[in-house]
Amino acid sequence: MENQPEIVEQALEFARETLELALGWLTSPAAWSQFALLVVAFLLALLLTRRMAPALKRLLSPAEGSETLLSQTRRFLARFVPLLLPLLAYGLTAVGESIVVSLFDSGAVIAFGKRVFLFLAARILVRQILTDPFLKTLGRYVLIPVAALYALGLLDDVTLALSEMEVSLGNISFSLIALIRGVIAGSLLFWLGSWSTRHSADYIARQEEIRPATRELAIKTVEILVFGAAFLLLMSIMGIDLTTLAVLGGAIGVGLGFGLQKIASNFISGVILLLEGQATVGDYVELDGGEQGKIVKMTARAAVLETFDGRWVVVPNEDFITTRVVNYSDSGSANRYEAPFSVSYDTDINRVPAIVEAAVATHPGVLDLPYPPDCELRAFGESGVEFCVEFWVNGLDDGENKYTSDVLFLIWNALKDNDIEIPYPHRVLEWKAGQGPTAPA
């Protein structure tokens, strides 16, 4: 048919070539010999796999519950046992290929069979071995199609066609195959970067002998280095001249100077915070603006505070540098609190301090150092004599800790046990003959 689309003509031409190749193989003794070799290689690989796979699984399976580095490595290698069949078939076929080529001066069928075995290996890898969702998706939509094109002998033609298509972005131009290769390589590099930084962060976080601020700084440094190296490597893979990015880098620098001053300021402030360690993850802080809470996360731009009522407050790092910050420190630092109370004027107030101090000291959270509980006379109030007991505890009197409430209970019980009255407000009314009651005194 005339005036057919080019893609249709190419498809028909490929179909004709495939049919001619198939007919040539069906009528060729050399092709049948190679088919027979493939079948024998596959059956032999199947027999060896059935004998070797159970032994390999037993060898690579560590003791249950073992979490050593060697045990983790053995578990990782054991996941690849399903690849034994296609790889053995590929290896046995490669051994027989040299014999067939020397006898018939042809190895096209053998070469096709080897590619099919590699396709089967890729399919098993994606379906049975990969568990990470990203890698599984990448294998399903990239690795298996590429392996299929390679098995059919079309990979070189497709690669050539894509390399002839160019994409231009300003002064930068590259082929479509370079763009596809860059997307795939970039996805893998940044996944690998995320994986490596996650494990590095876990390892650094376990080093308790290092200051928390230093650990956070080390984690951020690893992230910057890993993703910076991934970006440079990606540019090299895509074939982009890094000197071309110098102009773009200058423009970004100008943009930072004018439009992104706050972001740059917060980033530098975050580095200063991590270096000085005056406020780090785990500290309870209060800022001049009224924001307060426990620092649960420090990013390049801001710190995240968690209040005792469950809210998260995002505070820019710059606020920690330019404003006054009250740091109540972590749960290992002592803090002083006060519990006020009153007693009746009929009480012998000289007895009160000893009774209350002894009662408060029985609380398991109240410390003897830096100072034991101290009961002080504060004032002679309208309804009673006002006292206050000062006590020191580790951590904060909020959230899961209810120190002041517990201390007030102890004071109440101690005063009741010693028959000391806790007063309530009293009012005195004056009644004069011929007049109504006056205002309360």
Side-chain angles (χ1 to χ4, degrees):
M1 294 178 64
E2 298 181 355
N3 300 326
Q4 288 181 334
E6 183 179 355
I7 188 171
V8 175
E9 293 180 356
Q10 292 178 350
L12 292 174
E13 180 64 25
F14 174 72
R16 283 193 293 269
E17 292 178 356
T18 303
L19 181 60
E20 291 176 0
L21 179 62
L23 292 175
W25 284 358
L26 290 174
T27 58
S28 170
W32 281 104
S33 301
Q34 294 175 60
F35 275 124
L37 177 62
L38 289 175
V39 172
V40 171
F42 180 79
L43 293 176
L44 184 57
L46 183 62
L47 178 62
L48 291 174
T49 300
R50 288 180 176 177
R51 293 180 175 273
M52 294 173 61
L56 279 175
K57 288 181 178 179
R58 287 194 300 270
L59 178 64
L60 295 174
S61 298
E64 187 175 354
S66 177
E67 295 296 335
T68 63
L69 180 60
L70 179 59
S71 298
Q72 295 176 5
T73 304
R74 290 169 64 184
R75 286 194 189 95
F76 177 76
L77 294 176
R79 293 166 54 185
F80 291 88
V81 172
L83 287 176
L84 190 61
L85 175 60
L87 294 182
L88 277 176
Y90 180 89
L92 293 173
T93 304
V95 171
E97 182 180 15
S98 58
I99 301 174
V100 173
V101 171
S102 64
L103 292 176
F104 299 101
D105 197 22
S106 173
V109 178
I110 290 287
F112 173 74
K114 289 168 61 179
R115 296 196 297 269
V116 169
F117 291 142
L118 288 180
F119 170 77
L120 293 177
R123 190 167 177 270
I124 292 173
L125 177 67
V126 173
R127 290 195 170 190
Q128 301 182 29
I129 298 175
L130 296 180
T131 57
D132 184 85
F134 170 77
L135 292 181
K136 207 170 186 68
T137 301
L138 196 66
R140 184 180 295 116
Y141 294 107
V142 176
L143 180 60
I144 289 182
V146 169
L149 290 174
Y150 178 70
L152 296 174
L154 301 176
L155 185 59
D156 291 339
D157 295 335
V158 173
T159 302
L160 179 62
L162 293 176
S163 63
E164 293 174 351
M165 302 179 185
E166 288 194 352
V167 178
S168 298
L169 295 174
N171 296 329
I172 303 175
S173 62
F174 41 84
S175 63
L176 188 57
I177 188 65
L179 178 62
I180 296 174
R181 189 167 57 237
V183 170
I184 297 172
S187 301
L188 279 173
L189 284 173
F190 282 95
W191 175 86
L192 184 60
S194 176
W195 179 86
S196 61
T197 53
R198 185 169 61 251
H199 283 73
S200 299
D202 291 341
Y203 174 77
I204 295 172
R206 291 195 299 269
Q207 309 307 308
E208 297 182 355
E209 66 275 7
I210 304 176
R211 292 172 52 236
T214 306
R215 292 201 298 265
E216 289 292 325
L217 181 61
I219 291 171
K220 299 301 178 187
T221 303
V222 169
E223 289 181 0
I224 294 173
L225 291 176
V226 169
F227 285 107
F231 175 76
L232 295 177
L233 185 58
L234 177 60
M235 294 298 102
S236 177
I237 291 174
M238 293 184 65
I240 298 177
D241 187 2
L242 295 179
T243 57
T244 309
L245 299 177
V247 177
L248 180 61
I252 293 175
V254 174
L256 284 173
F258 288 97
L260 304 177
Q261 295 182 25
K262 283 292 183 182
I263 295 178
S265 175
N266 285 319
F267 177 79
I268 296 172
S269 299
V271 174
I272 294 173
L273 279 174
L274 293 174
L275 285 174
E276 292 184 348
Q278 294 180 356
T280 187
V281 174
D283 290 355
Y284 190 93
V285 297
E286 181 180 357
L287 281 73
D288 265 355
E291 303 91 348
Q292 60 179 327
K294 180 180 179 181
I295 302 178
V296 294
K297 186 178 182 181
M298 297 188 73
T299 66
R301 187 190 67 84
V304 180
L305 309 184
E306 183 178 15
T307 63
F308 283 121
D309 54 4
R311 293 181 175 89
W312 279 27
V313 182
V314 180
V315 181
N317 290 329
E318 185 182 15
D319 290 358
F320 286 88
I321 302 297
T322 59
T323 62
R324 185 179 68 93
V325 179
V326 179
N327 190 344
Y328 294 94
S329 193
D330 57 14
S331 59
S333 293
N335 293 297
R336 191 190 72 172
Y337 293 97
E338 297 180 349
F341 64 97
S342 300
V343 297
S344 170
Y345 274 105
D346 296 331
T347 305
D348 180 5
I349 62 174
N350 296 296
R351 299 172 52 212
V352 173
I355 294 172
V356 171
E357 289 171 0
V360 174
T362 62
H363 191 287
V366 174
L367 305 176
D368 291 329
L369 295 174
Y371 301 101
D374 181 25
C375 183
E376 299 177 351
L377 175 64
R378 289 294 175 89
F380 299 105
E382 293 183 358
S383 302
V385 182
E386 297 178 0
F387 284 87
C388 183
V389 61
E390 299 175 349
F391 59 95
W392 289 77
V393 294
N394 276 330
L396 301 170
D397 184 25
D398 206 340
E400 61 183 8
N401 299 320
K402 307 295 183 185
Y403 295 122
T404 301
S405 175
D406 294 343
V407 166
L408 288 174
F409 271 107
L410 292 172
I411 294 172
W412 173 276
N413 294 327
L415 295 179
K416 288 294 183 181
D417 291 342
N418 288 273
D419 298 323
I420 298 176
E421 182 183 354
I422 298 175
Y424 51 86
H426 292 79
R427 295 291 181 265
V428 177
L429 297 179
E430 294 183 1
W431 193 284
K432 294 183 179 181
Q435 298 181 3
T438 63

